[in-house]
Amino acid sequence: MVTLPPELERWLALSWDAVVVHFHEIALKGGNRRPFTRALQFNLQRVLAPLSAGVQDCFDRLLVVPVSGAPTTAWLKETLSAAAQVFGVAYAAPVRILPRDMDALIAAAVETYRTVADAGATFAVQVRRVDKNFPLTSQQVERIIGEHIVAATRAPVDLKAPAVALRFRIYTDCAYLVGPKVPGVGGLPVGVTGRVLTLLSGGIDSAVAAWLIMRRGCVTDFLHFHAFPSADEVRTSKIVALVERLVKPQGVRARLLLVPYHAFQVALLMAKVPAALELVLFRRFMVKVACRIAQTRWYHALVTGDNLGQVASQTLENLRALDDAASVPVFRPLLTYDKAEIIALAQRIGTYDLSLLPYKDCCSLIARHPETRPKLDAVRGAEARLPVDALVERTLSELVVWQIG
């Protein structure tokens, strides 16, 4: 979720032409940035389509403009908030597009200061001359504009911590007056680094793990094991709401793959394996099912919400037992996070309250006191009592796939 800066309200009393979107990590790609900016432009266009906005690629930035008419205050707020949530965005800000003319820059600066500043508020002019052929240096432009503001308003200058920062960027064809920046989520746009499959439980951690892997540019679909007689009962649950909350701000779609838990549960009861190993055996089964899906549907890796040492099933020995069952890489974005950090992220991205809603999680139906230091040979021996291959086939035969987004 994005909180707009409090000073923005006063700035929006001015007339603005567009919203500029800047990226940071993408800029480090040098000559390879084009696929990244295209993906960001595509994702932004889908997110902002309900606002009747067009997204223009200006090489080192993206410019968001209304399809028709001038931007309204409501349009600017909604656009800034939505754009800042898209992965790849460093910040978004309202801009006025001005001619490359000192008189125009001076007039805009004086008008802006008079509109947004309290009486006697300090100011600074900050200029970046992107076009190095502009006849004045950045420092010269700053000094000239600053002198005119002082002459017109008698405002004091504070270059280190001004109450009002007047930011200009000078390009080859125009200049921008840039309003308050709304910080973005950063990262890379979804779609530039490959496809993964996230095991989504419905708890706090797996949703945050999915958000983090998407922030690294991965397209993720979601695999959920349910304990209902029919997958249709999941449709009104928090699982669908969690997936929607994760993918909608990115302008992408995702598949929600649903498989039943009951076949494994029945087999577990009949096999009479040690109760302390039931949970690790179920989690290995989940991984085996997920790997089969990954191999047939071309996912490069699995993603889980595992965290090292957070609960009894997440010791190094238990995590090793899971990796032993995997035939594709298993990514754990939350491995080194503590619970407070995970909760803070969940609250920030808007999944926390959803994750707390009541739900029948399959893992909660297994033994409450799992083995924390299982021997891999013992785990494999217990698993040999189960018809794992047949259970995987049976489970996949009941696979249901929904499109979300």
Side-chain angles (χ1 to χ4, degrees):
M1 306 295 285
V2 172
T3 301
L4 298 177
E7 67 271 19
L8 182 65
E9 196 69 40
R10 188 174 292 188
W11 283 75
L12 291 183
L14 293 157
S15 296
W16 299 95
D17 298 306
V19 166
V20 67
V21 172
H22 276 272
F23 38 81
H24 177 255
E25 190 170 348
I26 293 175
L28 304 179
K29 302 299 179 182
N32 297 318
R33 76 166 61 177
R34 199 74 185 116
F36 295 86
T37 55
R38 281 201 200 100
L40 180 56
Q41 182 182 13
F42 176 79
N43 293 348
L44 275 170
Q45 188 66 72
R46 286 201 59 186
V47 168
L48 300 176
L51 300 176
S52 299
V55 182
Q56 302 170 5
D57 186 352
C58 302
F59 181 69
D60 65 341
R61 66 203 183 278
L62 298 174
L63 197 66
V64 183
V65 296
V67 172
S68 61
T72 64
T73 297
W75 184 91
L76 288 165
K77 288 180 178 179
E78 292 182 54
T79 300
L80 289 166
S81 180
Q85 296 182 67
V86 177
F87 295 131
V89 173
Y91 72 84
V95 292
R96 290 183 67 183
I97 302 175
L98 305 167
R100 289 162 34 103
D101 175 82
M102 285 304 300
D103 288 340
L105 300 185
I106 291 166
V110 172
E111 179 193 5
T112 300
Y113 179 84
R114 284 175 167 161
T115 301
V116 305
D118 294 321
T122 60
F123 80 95
V125 180
Q126 301 167 357
V127 176
R128 181 182 174 191
R129 191 182 53 150
V130 181
D131 175 19
K132 303 305 180 186
N133 293 319
F134 191 75
L136 300 175
T137 67
S138 297
Q139 291 77 17
Q140 288 172 330
V141 175
E142 290 171 349
R143 186 173 63 252
I144 293 170
I145 294 176
E147 289 172 350
H148 280 80
I149 292 175
V150 171
T153 67
R154 299 188 179 277
V157 175
D158 184 344
L159 299 181
K160 292 184 178 180
V164 177
L166 300 163
R167 302 181 182 92
F168 292 90
R169 296 171 75 95
I170 301 176
Y171 298 99
T172 56
D173 58 340
C174 65
Y176 285 0
L177 168 63
V178 183
K181 298 178 180 179
V182 179
V185 289
L188 297 172
V190 173
V192 297
T193 57
R195 300 178 71 239
V196 298
L197 181 64
T198 297
L199 277 69
L200 185 70
S201 67
I204 297 171
D205 297 356
S206 57
V208 176
W211 187 86
L212 287 171
I213 205 70
M214 292 171 70
R215 189 173 180 266
R216 297 313 305 155
C218 286
V219 172
T220 185
D221 289 333
F222 300 85
L223 174 63
H224 177 67
F225 285 75
H226 67 86
F228 298 109
S230 166
D232 288 337
E233 296 185 54
V234 181
R235 193 175 292 277
T236 57
S237 75
K238 67 179 180 180
I239 301 301
V240 173
L242 279 169
V243 174
E244 290 175 339
R245 183 66 194 86
L246 289 165
V247 302
K248 186 177 180 181
Q250 305 309 318
V252 297
R253 295 187 177 96
R255 293 178 180 88
L256 174 59
L257 291 78
L258 300 167
V259 291
Y261 160 72
H262 59 78
F264 181 84
Q265 185 181 32
V266 171
L268 197 63
L269 292 172
M270 296 178 63
K272 297 181 180 179
V273 300
L277 295 180
E278 288 181 353
L279 183 54
V280 68
L281 291 175
F282 174 55
R283 299 189 77 213
R284 281 172 63 93
F285 176 71
M286 292 170 66
V287 167
K288 288 176 182 288
V289 171
C291 286
R292 279 286 302 278
I293 294 173
Q295 290 163 352
T296 57
R297 291 177 176 262
W298 303 101
Y299 297 108
H300 300 111
L302 307 182
V303 178
T304 76
D306 287 331
N307 173 274
L308 185 57
Q310 181 173 279
V311 295
S313 63
Q314 294 176 350
T315 61
L316 277 176
E317 290 83 353
N318 273 312
L319 296 182
R320 181 191 176 203
L322 292 190
D323 286 344
D324 177 70
S327 55
V328 299
V330 180
F331 295 159
R332 298 178 172 95
L334 296 177
L335 193 70
T336 63
Y337 284 58
D338 65 34
K339 194 63 179 183
E341 291 170 324
I342 297 171
I343 289 173
L345 256 180
Q347 291 171 332
R348 173 186 171 190
I349 65 181
T351 59
Y352 181 71
D353 290 337
L354 287 173
S355 295
L356 294 184
L357 294 174
Y359 188 73
K360 189 187 296 184
D361 180 2
C362 292
C363 288
S364 66
L365 304 177
I366 309 291
R368 295 181 179 273
H369 303 290
E371 176 65 61
T372 58
R373 299 285 188 268
K375 303 295 184 185
L376 193 53
D377 288 343
V379 173
R380 290 172 177 167
E383 188 176 67
R385 303 181 196 177
L386 297 167
V388 174
D389 291 341
L391 288 172
V392 170
E393 293 298 333
R394 167 74 183 279
T395 299
L396 289 176
S397 71
E398 299 183 53
L399 171 68
V400 174
V401 182
W402 293 340
Q403 188 86 13
I404 307 293

